[in-house]
Amino acid sequence: MIKEYILSLLKETIDFDDASQIKVDIPKDPSHGDLSTNAALVLSKKLGKKPRDLAIELSDSLKYDNEIIESISIAGPGFINFKLNSKYFFKIVEKILDENSNYGKLSINSGKRANIEWVSANPTGPLHAGHGRNIALGKAIANLLEWSGYNVVREYYYNDAGSQMDNLAKSVHARYMQIFNPDFPFPEDGYSGNYIKDIANLIYNRKKDELKSSDNLEIFKLSGEDYNFNLIKKVLNLMGISFDVFFNESSLYKTGKIEELINRFREFQMVYEKDGALWLKMEKTEGFDKDKVIVKSTGEPTYRLPDMAYHIDKVKRGFDLIVDIFGSDHGDTYKEVLYGIKKAGYDNKNINVIIHQMVTFKRGDESVRMSKRSDNVYYLEELINDVGVDATQFFFVMRNPNTHLDFDIELAKDQSDKNPVYYLQYAHARICGILRNAQQNYDVLSDNPEVDFSKLGTEDELCLIKTLGRFPEIIHECSVNLEPYKLIPYLNEVASGFHSFYHNNRVLDSDNVELSKSRLALCRATKIILSNGFRIIGISAPDKM
RNA sequence: GCGCCCGUAGCUCAGCAGGAUAGAGCAACAGCCUUCUAAGCUGUGGGUCCGUGGUUCGAAUCCACGCGGGCGUGCCA
């Protein structure tokens, strides 16, 4: 890319052992040129020269290609500013049109395999709105991994074995029994949602009172699991997500992986028995302050043991990168899991855990209460019905996962310029409108596909082209750090650049065929960038709005 | 108490591997539709970057200590 080109020019001219401080950036102020470097500032001390003198010296001796760099100037304390040749920018437009839906795809991780695990909600009930952040993030990050070249396995891990599933069975059973006897006691910590009654009714419709006097809860558990999983999959489907692997906890028992891990811990003397439970030694030097139970006195493992076994399984599958996405309420447990992997003698360095903070939902100024206990749950499906899939996806991905998210339902629902989703999508729809119009009403424009880009030259046009050309490096930045949210301000800039261009520059004009063609090409290039960006963050690119 | 995260414009947030005058969207105010979608464009106002110290040519950004908020700190997941 162009930044590397300039960096390589600098390296040809002057020796610097430590290049980490030297940066080539796009200056905030466009009057400072298209690119700028702080090289002279950084190197001045080492070489004992004044930054400005060094800058002049450097810029005089650079041997650059005139087709790429038009001019060089010195400014401020010693920044070297580069103005690029517009021919360079026109080549970018050609490249975008040529690579089309692949433009921006990187090869930095070609040939590598990545596993990304997220959602992983247990089938004890439908997904609630708060799950949305995890779901949306994972979707976008999985896309980013693919764009950076990885072969990606999308995976969902769920617990179909532990005490939560027993609780589900008891809850469904109680609702079933209440059909015959309204006074049948409901478990104190049972799942109170109405869906439990729906499951009980389904069982009743099938089995009538056959199960009334049975104390086998298996059928209640399986029916509940099945019902809930269908609800979950339905919503995931709405969100446009499909998983390659559904990994269930019980398989870890069947294949003996839990037992194997316990034996390994024993072998490495990492565990001891106390009060009838099996404890894992947690070392202070690793930041832990007390030991943790991995097998309860009842003989059942705590959640962390199968979590560790599961991750060891992923490690053994040989991925180059393993990504986990958790809410901040799991912020401590993932550390235990990584620790367990290491202490069992496996390598955890390929595991990258992304922790996102919690979400608050608001309708205008009013916050939406979400408590599981009172059945006052705002389900993800309701949120999607309220604001639409695109707004749901967009609002969850919009912010840095590290910060708390305020999700304004009214704003997300609003079909007006207030809503940032529409601003972006509208730019795409507008372009499609122009393309339709060109096809239907401007035959002359399709005569000869040759485009003379030198017809382009207005401020708006050049500004838009420059923005489009930054797409690959934005993808690079986003994918290296697994940060899809950074794509959004960029796409906003693309849309804004396009809207300004549109406002000031008539695209279709029969009296100006060559100009029209080149502007039409610019429109197509913009459409490609927008739709590629939308695909990554996981929203649709509408043709009409 | 301890651990992790956060504190930037009226609101929601970018910027935080140190760099030129701290940005965006919304809200406020003032303009722009006989022309490819006004779900748009143009302009204006708006800041103790939580506080106090430190590191240096330079700090919103790094360090220390406070203050405020969120989440953890289970033989729940």
Side-chain angles (χ1 to χ4, degrees), chain A residues 39 155 158 217 283 318 357 387 483 496 513 542-543:
Chain A
E155 188 154 325
Y158 68 101
L217 296 187
E283 293 166 0
Q357 301 300 314
V387 311
E483 292 175 327
S496 163
V513 174
D543 291 349

Side-chain angles (χ1 to χ4, degrees), chain A residues 10-281:
Chain A
L10 290 167
K11 278 183 183 154
E12 277 172 23
T13 313
I14 188 165
D15 264 352
F16 43 86
D17 33 328
D18 180 21
S20 63
Q21 295 266 339
I22 294 179
K23 291 196 285 195
V24 178
D25 272 324
I26 297 169
K28 284 182 230 167
D29 184 344
S31 72
H32 291 140
D34 297 309
L35 287 165
S36 172
T37 180
N38 63 350
L41 291 164
V42 173
L43 297 173
S44 65
K45 201 183 284 175
K46 266 180 210 158
L47 302 177
K49 291 178 182 169
K50 287 182 186 164
R52 250 195 107 89
D53 293 346
L54 183 61
I56 292 167
E57 202 179 302
L58 262 173
S59 65
D60 283 348
S61 46
L62 286 179
K63 292 188 195 108
Y64 58 87
D65 182 348
N66 281 317
E67 297 269 295
I68 298 175
I69 293 171
E70 191 167 287
S71 62
I72 299 178
S73 60
I74 314 293
F79 289 99
I80 304 173
N81 298 331
F82 302 85
K83 191 174 184 314
L84 303 180
N85 192 315
S86 48
K87 279 182 192 164
Y88 166 75
F89 292 113
F90 298 148
K91 279 194 186 125
I92 292 177
V93 180
E94 286 178 57
K95 191 160 185 242
I96 295 170
L97 293 170
D98 187 45
E99 297 183 11
N100 207 319
S101 61
N102 288 320
Y103 182 75
K105 283 195 177 156
L106 309 175
S107 53
I108 47 175
N109 294 311
S110 291
K112 294 188 192 166
R113 292 167 64 238
N115 177 288
I116 174 166
E117 178 223 326
W118 82 107
V119 192
S120 296
N122 290 337
T124 56
L127 298 166
H128 59 76
H131 281 117
R133 189 173 203 184
N134 187 291
I135 294 171
L137 254 181
K139 180 184 177 186
I141 291 174
N143 291 339
L144 264 181
L145 292 172
E146 273 174 351
W147 276 72
S148 76
Y150 279 112
N151 192 316
V152 177
V153 172
R154 292 166 171 82
E155 188 154 325
Y156 185 124
Y157 172 75
Y158 68 101
N159 173 334
D160 57 349
S163 57
Q164 295 200 16
M165 294 307 288
D166 292 338
N167 192 7
L168 172 69
K170 286 179 198 156
S171 305
V172 176
H173 177 251
R175 292 299 188 213
Y176 172 78
M177 293 306 280
Q178 284 172 354
I179 294 171
F180 314 106
N181 171 17
D183 293 331
F184 191 91
F186 190 74
E188 200 175 325
D189 298 325
Y191 295 104
S192 58
N194 286 325
Y195 63 94
I196 299 289
K197 291 176 188 165
D198 296 339
I199 299 165
N201 285 330
L202 284 174
I203 296 172
Y204 175 76
N205 290 341
R206 258 195 346 256
K207 300 278 184 182
K208 301 304 171 192
D209 63 354
E210 272 176 48
L211 306 167
K212 208 169 138 185
S213 37
S214 162
D215 52 4
N216 184 352
L217 296 187
E218 197 60 16
I219 184 165
F220 297 100
K221 182 166 156 177
L222 292 177
S223 303
E225 178 180 336
D226 189 53
Y227 182 90
N228 289 329
F229 233 128
N230 282 330
L231 286 182
I232 289 170
K233 284 178 182 165
K234 180 184 154 199
V235 176
L236 291 174
N237 200 37
L238 278 179
M239 296 281 291
I241 297 168
S242 57
F243 285 91
D244 304 303
V245 177
F246 282 90
F247 194 107
N248 57 337
E249 181 185 346
S250 60
S251 71
L252 293 167
Y253 296 87
K254 287 177 195 146
T255 53
K257 287 183 177 144
I258 300 284
E259 204 51 43
E260 190 185 315
L261 177 55
I262 292 174
N263 290 337
R264 260 183 111 88
F265 279 144
R266 285 216 165 95
E267 188 186 327
F268 293 123
Q269 302 192 342
M270 287 306 300
V271 287
Y272 61 90
E273 290 192 33
K274 193 180 84 181
D275 305 329
L278 191 66
W279 296 71
L280 178 66
K281 293 180 192 169

Side-chain angles (χ1 to χ4, degrees), chain A residues 58 390 414 422 430 486:
Chain A
L58 262 173
D390 283 343
D414 197 356
Y422 289 99
R430 248 185 170 175
K486 289 197 172 163

